[in-house]
Amino acid sequence: MCEYHSKFNGLLSELNNQRGILIKELSRLDKYISRMYHDLEGIDPSEDFALSFVTQLHDTLKKRRVVKDEMARLDAVLNPLKNVVNDVESAVRTRRKVSRRWRRSFKMRLTIEEVLTNTN
């Protein structure tokens, strides 16, 4: 039981960590775009580097879209899991109590690993 709960929590933690990485990257790109817009105010559109500037902005916007798409795909999995966390935690607590009571009442000493490795 605890192994399953640990795996569930590990998955949530991994997904939350990945989301944090994506948020940081999105923030970095947004700040870069903001600086570029600010710099745009100070350039003459007829200058030679204007095309380079637009190309750089275009590439950055593409990268931002990739990050946003990845966040949306991650959120499609993460958000439903977050909605059931309280139910899982409650069910695990209840099951632990019942399991302890069964172990005491039935004098259960074997683990599931022992049962599965000792099958005939």
Side-chain angles (χ1 to χ4, degrees):
M1 169 81 76
C2 291
E3 179 184 344
Y4 306 120
H5 185 236
S6 293
K7 286 181 180 182
F8 178 77
N9 285 334
L11 174 62
L12 278 177
S13 178
E14 185 179 329
L15 293 174
N16 280 319
N17 288 340
Q18 183 63 28
R19 192 166 199 294
I21 290 168
L22 293 172
I23 286 171
K24 285 179 184 176
E25 181 61 15
L26 185 63
S27 176
R28 186 188 71 77
L29 291 168
D30 284 343
K31 287 175 184 174
Y32 185 74
I33 291 167
S34 180
R35 281 192 309 270
M36 291 185 77
Y37 282 145
H38 187 269
D39 292 345
L40 183 61
E41 293 173 343
I43 67 169
D44 180 0
S46 65
E47 294 179 23
D48 292 338
F49 62 88
L51 179 58
S52 172
F53 182 87
V54 169
T55 303
Q56 190 176 10
L57 178 60
H58 184 256
D59 290 344
T60 304
L61 291 171
K62 281 184 176 181
K63 289 175 184 176
R64 185 181 186 282
R65 178 55 48 204
V66 169
V67 172
K68 293 276 289 184
D69 183 53
E70 185 67 17
M71 280 181 65
R73 291 189 298 141
L74 184 138
D75 285 345
V77 174
L78 183 59
N79 289 340
L81 287 177
K82 284 182 177 179
N83 291 335
V84 299
V85 166
N86 289 336
D87 292 340
V88 169
E89 295 299 323
S90 176
V92 166
R93 279 193 302 277
T94 300
R95 187 65 242 170
R96 280 184 182 147
K97 289 177 187 175
V98 171
S99 185
R100 280 193 299 266
R101 192 170 61 241
W102 283 10
R103 288 182 169 283
R104 277 193 315 271
S105 296
F106 299 115
K107 296 177 177 57
M108 294 167 40
R109 303 287 180 248
L110 293 172
T111 65
I112 190 64
E113 292 80 10
E114 292 170 327
V115 171
L116 294 175
T117 57
N118 291 328
T119 58
N120 295 332

